[in-house]
Amino acid sequence: MKQRLHIVMAASEAVPYAKTGGLADVTGALPQELAKLGHDVILLLPKYRSVADSGRRFRSIARLPIATAEGTEESEIEEDVIQTGFGDSTVRVWTCRHDRFFDRSGLYQEHGADYPDNLNRFAWFSRAVIEVMAYLAGERAWQTDVLHVHDWQTALCAVYLKTVDRHRSEIQNVKTVLTLHNVGYQGIFPGIQFTGTGLPSELFSPAGLEFYDSVNLLKGGIIFTDRITTVSPSYAREILSPEFGFGLEGVLRNRQDQLYGILNGIDSERWNPATDPFLAANYSADEREGKGACKLALQREFSLPEIPVPVFAVIARLSSQKGLDLLEAIIPKFLSYDVQLIVLGTGDPAHETAFREAQKRYPDRMGLYIGFDEKLAHRIEGGADMFIMPSRYEPCGLSQMYSLRYGTVPVVTKTGGLADTVIPFNQKAKSSPKANGFHLASATSESLLAALLEAAEVYRTKEIWNRVIDAGMRADVSWARSARFYEDLFLKLVGEEG
Ligand code: ADP
């Protein structure tokens, strides 16, 4: 029989308590999936102001002294219990309270400016994680087998366990896994703030947390953790190169043997075309008629002619990572064909302006909504024929997985999670049964235009197009699948000597 693991997951955000990005979706879903596999999981979060807005009820369970470089303060630990819906399995969610640090309107920043004490805030939280594990072992006879931390905010936990806390018997055997969700964000602070970590000064060196005279928390985590994962196998390879490693490629190469890529899954209840309440009609891989009604409703919503031309869509943060300048450059050419384009996004004002101007020029070919609207995102996934994602880099990406599930064929750059989830259609071998989308030959406007026109061409042969849609809708992009990879990694790690 497999071992029932005691897993502590420590993160700076998780759905439904606090969210700024995809990390929160992972830490919201993965603990529940691991619990469904039979493991005992506790999720630790800072008690932000937003935790109260989640509508979840917490009860106080302990007060623990947390010692940092700034002194010792007690923290109230509060508990919420989530029923996973599978048997009687549950996940315990514990928040660690420190109002001066976390009772704020933002998680990491306000009005676009990072909080100046972010190092101290997350060093404190990382210390709290260590003390909670010591408390669990000492007071509740619950020994943590695996501590799973995420991104720079909790990377210090791995450093503490292997350095200043390595002789504490109650937590000595804890194995650590650090997941990198986006290596572009590393937790870099002025060198003078190093004392805030509470670590001995010899660790502020190039072999430790020093990074060009600054402190780099993610670097510390990468050096000291037992295992590293990223959110797709391709991204795990890419971050070993200067183009994607953002200066940490050398450090990552040193730990290459302990680095694994595990794809994220999607929330397959919230993103299910068969039950999605936001769609004009529901449909599934077996009963696809409803998608036609969704398309007509979408064309009407954006005042586009209700004609049977392919509808291409973009839903994205308008940031340079997403490569939308490649699309902007070819809009006049692209829209000279019999196609329609719908864009939903907000972000970089330069992109917003470019899309606004294009929409004014081609009102009967292009629909645009500048803003963030989750329901509209569902309606677009439901109604569009193709989804455009020309990202420069994409650690995993969720939108292309939603698109697959919604029968909206993705056209993507061959990078990171996009390369791992979208299997390209091959013109020559028209029979490739697994093909579920299109790859750009390279990240250029010319390649994007070629891929879009190729998709538009294949769209016209209904029999082949239907096969591409079918392969996508039947692909397994569930969390259940991903969680088994994490389980396997954790079990192997715990089974190791030492
Ligand atoms: P990233 O996390 O880098 O932004 P992902 O593809 O992993 O990219 O996830 C993006 C998520 O955000 C998707 O669920 C997408 O539908 C959603 N999204 C992005 N922009 C918008 C928007 N303007 N309105 C609604 N949803 C959006």
Side-chain angles (χ1 to χ4, degrees), residues 315-317 322 344-346 371-374 377 389 394 397-399 402:
I315 305 172
R317 283 187 293 120
K322 300 296 173 183
L344 165 61
T346 176
F372 193 96
D373 184 337
E374 178 156 8
M389 214 163 160
E394 196 64 73
L398 291 173
S399 289
Y402 301 148

Side-chain angles (χ1 to χ4, degrees), residues 313-497:
V314 172
I315 305 172
R317 283 187 293 120
L318 303 182
S319 83
S320 63
Q321 180 198 336
K322 300 296 173 183
L324 293 167
D325 48 319
L326 305 184
L327 177 62
E328 285 157 18
I330 54 157
I331 283 181
K333 190 87 199 277
F334 178 49
L335 293 186
S336 70
Y337 291 84
D338 274 337
V339 297
Q340 294 176 352
L341 173 66
I342 289 174
V343 176
L344 165 61
T346 176
D348 185 341
H351 285 302
E352 293 187 354
T353 306
F355 281 127
R356 275 205 183 95
E357 281 170 5
Q359 199 277 330
K360 257 188 241 147
R361 251 178 93 185
Y362 307 101
D364 59 342
R365 296 268 157 128
M366 182 171 167
L368 174 69
Y369 184 86
I370 297 287
F372 193 96
D373 184 337
E374 178 156 8
K375 291 178 189 166
L376 179 55
H378 283 248
R379 294 198 294 276
I380 293 176
E381 289 286 8
D385 296 299
M386 289 87 157
F387 194 87
I388 311 175
M389 214 163 160
S391 307
R392 292 226 153 67
Y393 75 97
E394 196 64 73
C396 177
L398 291 173
S399 289
Q400 85 281 10
M401 294 198 272
Y402 301 148
S403 299
L404 290 172
R405 192 116 204 271
Y406 278 62
T408 306
V409 176
V411 182
V412 304
T413 22
K414 196 178 164 194
T415 184
L418 299 178
D420 294 335
T421 52
V422 177
I423 303 166
F425 182 80
N426 181 333
Q427 276 291 4
K428 286 180 210 114
K430 283 201 166 43
S431 60
S432 54
K434 285 192 176 159
N436 59 21
F438 295 82
H439 281 179
L440 276 63
S442 63
T444 61
S445 292
E446 296 74 36
S447 297
L448 176 60
L449 183 62
L452 296 177
L453 295 180
E454 185 191 2
E457 176 65 29
V458 178
Y459 170 86
R460 287 202 275 171
T461 316
K462 284 298 162 228
E463 191 199 326
I464 298 177
W465 187 250
N466 279 332
R467 242 186 281 147
V468 178
I469 292 182
D470 200 64
M473 292 189 79
R474 293 183 198 278
D476 185 358
V477 289
S478 67
W479 261 114
R481 177 179 180 275
S482 308
R484 282 194 292 273
F485 286 101
Y486 281 104
E487 176 188 51
D488 192 48
L489 178 77
F490 293 174
L491 286 169
K492 282 201 185 111
L493 180 58
V494 169
E496 276 178 9
E497 295 293 313

